[in-house]
Amino acid sequence: MELWYTEYTNKSSGLTIKIERQLEHRETEFQTIDIFKTHYYGNLMVIDGVVMLTEFDEFVYHESLVHVPMQFLQNPKNVLIIGGGDGGTAREVLKYGSIEEVVMVEIDREVCEVSKKYFPNLSVSFKDKRLKLIYDDGAKYVKDTGKKFDLIIIDSTDPVGPGEVLFTEEFYRNCSNILKDFGILTAQTESPFDREYRDPIKRIYRNLRKSFKNVNMYLGHIPTYPFGTWSFAFASNSVNPVSDNLKNSELPEGLKYYNRELGKSAFILPNFVRDLINE
Ligand code: AG3
């Protein structure tokens, strides 16, 4: 018998992946987590019916979220990750020798547990002593912490359900307050091809502009996410990724997606995407 996993993008399309077998099904306090072994994409993590990552293409997402902003920072020391329980984002940040501490605030301990079991190449970051893992609500953390960060990365689920608070005006204001002067925030912001996300994307960029001086979008290619083209927000009160030069003297070796030319050109947007966030 053949087994297939489908994420329905909308009522008339979706992404289908052939499954070798199901490795895990958990109903946690916050969400449903499924892990599948696939034929083509390695292990696949699904949360609430939506693809979170596959071993095949997670490098694109994690390298984009991390190295694009990291290269605009001089000697970055402190990074905050909201979400990111699989460990992939932390893995990329910890590749820099300048990093002294990474605080990761993940609401669901069980995401970290399944990652340790089925995604050793991501959860390898949990062994690094510079990582401080906190199981809590990220929105609460940014409101209450007294710490300041060079970089804040929002590695969240879609802006529906439990992840929704991580896209609000109030959340972004609290993030802006805990960034250092030259700090940057990046966040995953869905596919610009997705008609159902047109309004949420517009709202996200409008909300970001209320708290940050410079707000830009950049793109990446992720085959197992809806439409394969993915967007990220880059927000800062001082850095302008279009006109500023890169500042980091360190670039980790062995990256599979990111290079400095790509990191600058990712901000050059197709017209329909530009229009979407400037409307
Ligand atoms: N974060 C989820 C990105 C959103 C995917 N959306 C979708 N498939 N509809 C991924 C977490 C990886 N660290």
Side-chain angles (χ1 to χ4, degrees):
M1 190 184 71
E2 285 194 355
L3 289 175
W4 294 80
Y5 161 79
T6 301
E7 174 178 338
Y8 292 98
T9 308
N10 49 52
K11 289 201 179 76
S12 47
S13 62
L15 175 82
T16 296
I17 297 176
K18 194 172 178 187
I19 299 302
E20 210 174 299
R21 64 195 166 94
Q22 180 154 25
L23 298 171
E24 184 103 27
H25 171 80
R26 290 194 188 195
E27 295 190 15
T28 77
E29 195 187 332
F30 303 98
Q31 53 208 352
T32 305
I33 308 176
D34 289 286
I35 311 291
F36 300 100
K37 185 169 194 274
T38 77
H39 291 271
Y40 195 93
Y41 298 99
N43 287 350
L44 158 68
M45 184 192 290
V46 173
I47 291 186
D48 288 343
V50 163
V51 173
M52 285 295 114
L53 62 98
T54 77
E55 288 181 305
F56 171 77
D57 60 358
E58 57 83 12
F59 69 97
V60 182
Y61 177 88
H62 293 120
E63 289 189 18
S64 295
L65 258 183
V66 173
H67 302 297
V68 172
M70 279 294 270
Q71 287 299 307
F72 281 99
L73 294 167
Q74 207 167 16
N75 207 22
K77 292 188 173 70
N78 304 80
V79 175
L80 171 65
I81 300 169
I82 302 293
D86 49 74
T89 296
R91 176 194 67 201
E92 294 306 316
V93 175
L94 290 162
K95 286 180 179 171
Y96 291 81
S98 70
I99 292 297
E100 290 171 1
E101 186 180 61
V102 176
V103 177
M104 183 164 116
V105 187
E106 165 61 54
I107 200 161
D108 193 346
R109 179 187 293 267
E110 296 197 48
V111 176
C112 302
E113 285 172 15
V114 297
S115 184
K116 274 189 204 150
K117 227 163 139 187
Y118 302 108
F119 298 91
N121 291 333
L122 286 89
S123 50
V124 57
S125 56
F126 298 155
K127 293 186 197 133
D128 194 308
K129 292 203 167 53
R130 295 171 295 166
L131 179 71
K132 187 168 172 226
L133 187 47
I134 299 172
Y135 297 112
D136 204 350
D137 175 353
K140 193 168 129 255
Y141 182 86
V142 297
K143 192 161 79 193
D144 298 339
T145 184
K147 284 194 183 185
K148 293 234 172 187
F149 297 90
D150 295 289
L151 171 61
I152 301 176
I153 302 174
I154 321 297
D155 183 4
S156 69
T157 52
D158 292 342
V160 286
E164 206 173 339
V165 297
L166 304 180
F167 296 88
T168 59
E169 190 184 333
E170 186 193 348
F171 175 72
Y172 293 141
R173 195 184 319 119
N174 293 331
C175 287
S176 179
N177 288 338
I178 59 165
L179 271 186
K180 293 183 193 168
D181 291 347
F182 289 94
I184 298 168
L185 172 142
T186 54
Q188 77 84 6
T189 58
E190 306 299 315
S191 177
F193 281 108
D194 199 329
R195 281 200 205 134
E196 299 196 358
Y197 277 104
R198 284 187 75 84
D199 289 334
I201 291 175
K202 282 188 200 169
R203 209 176 316 122
I204 291 167
Y205 283 79
R206 231 182 281 134
N207 286 344
L208 279 168
R209 288 196 180 105
K210 288 180 189 153
S211 294
F212 293 91
K213 202 168 137 233
N214 303 324
V215 176
N216 289 81
M217 178 192 266
Y218 62 102
L219 299 176
H221 312 282
I222 307 178
T224 62
Y225 283 175
F227 299 96
T229 297
W230 211 249
S231 74
F232 303 89
F234 183 112
S236 175
N237 290 312
S238 52
V239 182
N240 181 332
V242 176
S243 55
D244 289 3
N245 290 327
L246 300 178
K247 292 202 177 56
N248 203 329
S249 56
E250 201 184 346
L251 178 66
E253 276 174 23
L255 300 182
K256 286 200 280 182
Y257 187 75
Y258 181 90
N259 57 60
R260 284 175 169 150
E261 294 72 30
L262 181 138
K264 289 229 72 173
S265 65
F267 290 92
I268 300 171
L269 301 175
N271 294 347
F272 80 98
V273 182
R274 238 195 248 173
D275 292 346
L276 174 65
I277 57 167
N278 290 328
E279 263 167 35

